[in-house]
Amino acid sequence: MDILENISEDLNIPIDVLESQIIEGARHVKIIKIPKRSGGVRLVFVPPKIYKIFQYYIIGNYLDVIKRSAAASAFWKGCSILKNAQRHRERIYLVRIDISDFFHSITFNDFVQSLNVEEERGLFDIFMNEDSARIIRKTCFSRDGHLCVGYPISPFAADIAMRHIDEEIFSYLNTRFKGKKYSYSRYADDLVIGFDEKCGAEVVAAITKIVEGREWPRLSVNHSKTRFFNRNVGNAIVTGVRICQDGRLTLPKQFKDDLRFNLSLLEKGRLGKEAFSSLEGALNHCRDIAPEFYTKLQSRYFKSIEGLIKRDRNDP
C-alpha cells in the first residue's frame, strides 16, 4: 500500500479526490518574500491545504516515531529554546556555528539516504515506493526536490537528514574532550558547542570540516555568523537566551530594553496596532525565559498588558 492509499483509508477521502487536489494544489503554493537584516530576501513557502494534510500525516504517522539525533533541540515534542540553552549553562566557552541556506540545501534523496533500512524499514519502503515518492516529492518538497522554508515537514525531515552529521560531530567531541565535559546541540541550522578550555577556533575548524565534507547533504558553514562566547564575561547567548556568569538563564539586555520601550509606547497609546501581536509574542517569550522580569513588567504595566491580551482579536 502506498502513501496515497494509506491517507485515503485513514481519512476516508477517495483517492481520485486526493489526486485531483494534489494536481490543483501546485497552483496554490504561495511564496512570501521577507527582507533579511543582512540584505536580500528570505523566501517562505505557504503550502495549500492538501499539501498540509500530507505533511502532517507523514509527521504524525512516520517521522514522530523515528529515533532523532541526541543533538536535535527544535520542533520535536518536548524541545524548547529554554531547554536548548540549559544544555550549555555549565560550560565556560561556547561557539555558535550557522549552516547556510539550511532547508534548501537538503533534498529528497538526502532524506531517504539518512534512513536506517533495518530499523526504519516501514518508512524506507514508503519513500522508496515509486508512486509514494512521486506524491511525497510533490507535496513535501520544492519542484527541484529541496525542502522549503515554511513547510511544516521541513524541520523534521531536515533533522532526520542531519543525524549522520550529528553523530560525526559527537564522535569528534568525544575524542577531542576525552574525559572532559562538553555540550553540543543543534537548533535546526544553529549549532552550539560548549567546553571549558580555550580552543574555539580549533573546534570550529573541525566542525566545519565535518559539515562540509559529506557527500549528502551538501552543506556549507556561514562563517560570517560564527560567534565565540565566554560565560565568565556574561556574553554567552544561545538561541536568544543569555547564560549569566553563575549559569542562570535570562534574556539579553537589548531584548529587555526593547520590551520596556514598546510597553511604554503601548501605555501612552503610541504603539501601532500592527505591533500588538509581536509585542504579545515577546511577552510570552519573556514569561517563559525570565519569569521574575515578567512579573516586574506586569506590576509596572499591568493595565496595558491586560488590555493587550484581552484586545479584540479581530483587530489587525
Side-chain angles (χ1 to χ4, degrees):
M1 186 177 289
D2 63 29
I3 190 73
L4 200 62
E5 293 172 330
N6 285 341
I7 293 178
S8 174
E9 182 176 300
D10 290 351
L11 302 184
N12 196 28
I13 302 175
I15 288 180
D16 59 335
V17 172
L18 289 174
E19 289 179 332
S20 64
Q21 289 186 3
I22 290 171
I23 293 172
E24 180 67 17
R27 299 173 49 223
H28 297 284
V29 176
K30 296 180 181 179
I31 301 177
I32 301 174
K33 296 181 179 180
I34 300 177
K36 293 183 179 180
R37 291 181 182 178
S38 57
V41 295
R42 174 179 286 105
L43 299 181
V44 177
F45 294 76
V46 181
K49 184 177 180 179
I50 187 63
Y51 284 16
K52 289 182 180 179
I53 289 174
F54 271 80
Q55 292 181 35
Y56 282 119
Y57 183 89
I58 293 171
I59 293 170
N61 289 274
Y62 297 106
L63 304 193
D64 268 351
V65 299
I66 285 184
K67 182 181 178 181
R68 66 174 185 263
S69 165
S73 302
F75 311 111
W76 301 93
K77 184 178 180 180
C79 293
S80 71
I81 288 174
L82 181 62
K83 289 182 179 179
N84 185 48
Q86 287 172 339
R87 292 192 182 199
H88 306 283
R89 66 191 308 171
E90 296 182 357
R91 304 281 65 80
I92 297 175
Y93 302 103
L94 300 174
V95 295
R96 189 176 72 215
I97 301 171
D98 180 83
I99 298 176
S100 299
D101 203 13
F102 182 54
F103 288 143
H104 189 72
S105 298
I106 297 175
T107 68
F108 175 86
N109 290 335
D110 293 334
F111 176 82
V112 173
Q113 289 188 81
S114 71
L115 298 177
N116 185 309
V117 179
E118 297 301 325
E119 297 179 8
E120 295 153 1
R121 166 61 67 179
L123 182 59
F124 182 80
D125 288 344
I126 284 288
F127 274 75
M128 290 304 293
N129 177 284
E130 186 176 341
D131 291 331
S132 293
R134 175 179 56 83
I135 295 296
I136 293 169
R137 281 176 179 270
K138 195 170 188 66
T139 59
C140 302
F141 291 78
S142 66
R143 291 182 178 180
D144 58 357
H146 294 80
L147 291 175
C148 299
V149 175
Y151 274 21
I153 200 171
S154 292
F156 301 96
D159 261 357
I160 292 168
M162 285 290 292
R163 290 185 300 183
H164 292 280
I165 288 179
D166 287 336
E167 288 172 3
E168 285 191 43
I169 291 175
F170 274 123
S171 178
Y172 159 72
L173 294 173
N174 283 331
T175 301
R176 173 60 181 80
F177 298 105
K178 188 174 183 179
K180 302 176 183 178
K181 293 183 178 180
Y182 71 86
S183 57
Y184 168 53
S185 70
R186 181 179 50 74
Y187 198 93
D189 59 349
D190 194 14
L191 286 63
V192 177
I193 304 97
F195 35 86
D196 296 329
E197 57 185 89
K198 289 185 177 181
C199 57
E202 174 191 339
V203 170
V204 170
I207 301 298
T208 299
K209 185 176 180 179
I210 292 171
V211 170
E212 297 183 344
R214 289 188 63 89
E215 290 297 321
W216 54 268
R218 298 292 295 176
L219 303 173
S220 61
V221 169
N222 184 348
H223 293 286
S224 67
K225 291 187 176 181
T226 299
R227 295 291 182 272
F228 299 86
F229 301 113
N230 184 336
R231 194 192 74 202
N232 287 337
V233 299
N235 72 346
I237 296 178
V238 177
T239 49
V241 179
R242 179 181 169 226
I243 303 177
C244 301
Q245 292 176 330
D246 59 2
R248 288 181 300 108
L249 302 179
T250 188
L251 294 166
K253 181 179 182 300
Q254 186 63 54
F255 187 97
K256 292 181 177 179
D257 291 343
D258 290 344
L259 197 48
R260 289 194 196 95
F261 178 70
N262 285 322
L263 284 171
S264 176
L265 292 179
L266 179 67
E267 184 179 52
K268 297 171 183 176
R270 293 168 53 191
L271 185 70
K273 288 185 177 181
E274 69 278 0
F276 283 5
S277 293
S278 176
L279 177 56
E280 186 175 3
L283 284 168
N284 290 335
H285 179 62
C286 175
R287 183 182 58 209
D288 293 340
I289 305 300
E292 292 181 2
F293 179 65
Y294 179 81
T295 300
K296 291 180 180 178
L297 292 177
Q298 256 199 330
S299 177
R300 170 66 179 82
Y301 300 101
F302 178 77
K303 288 186 177 180
S304 298
I305 293 175
E306 184 180 40
L308 177 70
I309 294 173
K310 293 183 177 180
R311 74 188 187 281
D312 183 355
R313 295 299 176 174
N314 293 321
D315 284 352

